[in-house]
């Protein structure tokens, strides 16, 4: 299996102790053209792109991110939200939102081209987590649909705004 090594400069650390500002992250992704027998579906990082990376830290895993593509996030621009409200979107296409209780939730899976949202992706997830198309602006009159509730069940809170790096820092601070 061919592995790709990425030299990564740490700009900020949400949690953990690093004695260096440079890391090498290795992916069993089949090499630059993917023809080296790697594990299908592993992300390829773009040179010059900034990522939020939840690092596993264990050697010799096919992907050093916790949850594979779900543990690597990029700031993306959604044309509906505008340039001033970037979304944190996992490499798997899951944007992070804050719900009305202040918790971080995954929103409707999106398709990215580079760092821009181009569409919503087909999704088989819990309908309570789906966003309307186009993505609603926080504070707008467009409501986030919820799954039908059974008598006595608790309905999930609505998603109200995109999560930020500060939200992730608060989350990481709570779970240490």
């Amino acid at each position: 299996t061919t592995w790709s090594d990425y030299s990564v400069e740490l700009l900020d650390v949400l949690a953990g102790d690093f004695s260096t500002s440079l890391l090498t992250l290795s992916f069993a992704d089949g090499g630059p053209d993917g023809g080296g027998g790697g594990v299908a579906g592993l992300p390829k990082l773009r040179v010059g792109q900034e990522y939020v990376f939840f690092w596993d830290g264990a050697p010799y895993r096919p992907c050093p991110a916790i949850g594979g593509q779900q543990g690597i996030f990029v700031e993306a621009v959604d044309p509906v939200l505008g340039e001033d409200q970037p979304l944190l979107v996992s490499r798997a296409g899951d944007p992070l939102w804050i719900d009305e209780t202040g918790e971080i939730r995954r929103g409707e899976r999106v398709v990215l081209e580079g760092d821009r949202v181009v569409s919503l992706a087909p999704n088989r997830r819990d309908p309570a987590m789906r966003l309307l198309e186009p993505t609603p602006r926080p504070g707008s009159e467009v409501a986030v649909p919820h799954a039908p509730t059974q008598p006595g069940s608790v309905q999930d809170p609505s998603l109200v705004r995109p999560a930020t790096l500060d939200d992730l820092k608060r989350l990481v601070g709570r779970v240490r």
Side-chain angles (χ1 to χ4, degrees):
T1 298
T2 303
W3 291 61
S4 295
D5 289 338
Y6 295 92
S7 295
V8 177
E9 178 184 7
L10 298 179
L11 300 177
D12 193 6
V13 177
L14 301 179
D17 297 316
F18 291 88
S19 59
T20 179
S21 63
L22 296 175
L23 291 175
T24 299
L25 302 177
S26 300
F27 293 80
D29 59 5
D33 63 358
V39 178
L42 290 186
K44 294 195 181 294
L45 304 182
R46 287 183 28 214
V47 174
Q49 178 75 53
E50 290 185 12
Y51 297 95
V52 176
F53 200 96
F54 288 87
W55 185 43
D56 183 314
Y60 312 115
R61 295 200 194 241
C63 182
I66 294 171
Q69 295 199 66
Q70 294 178 352
I72 304 171
F73 293 85
V74 63
E75 276 193 342
V77 174
D78 182 327
V80 174
L81 293 172
E83 302 277 338
D84 59 336
Q85 277 196 307
L87 287 171
L88 286 170
V89 181
S90 74
R91 295 290 294 178
D94 300 316
L96 298 181
W97 284 76
I98 299 297
D99 70 19
E100 61 195 6
T101 69
E103 295 298 317
I104 295 176
R105 307 247 335 249
R106 291 182 187 266
E108 178 74 25
R109 185 164 281 182
V110 298
V111 176
L112 294 178
E113 283 184 8
D115 62 355
R116 301 194 73 75
V117 174
V118 293
S119 70
L120 292 178
N123 196 336
R124 294 184 189 97
R125 263 200 240 281
D126 174 2
M129 296 177 69
R130 294 187 178 191
L131 298 177
L132 294 175
E133 189 169 355
T135 307
R137 294 182 185 274
S140 72
E141 294 158 7
V142 178
V144 178
H146 291 283
T149 57
Q150 300 298 322
S153 68
V154 177
Q155 196 167 26
D156 289 327
S158 295
L159 306 179
V160 294
R161 67 171 175 82
T164 65
L165 285 175
D166 287 337
D167 294 318
L168 286 182
K169 287 178 184 179
R170 282 193 292 278
L171 173 68
V172 169
R174 283 196 327 235
V175 296
R176 280 197 221 184

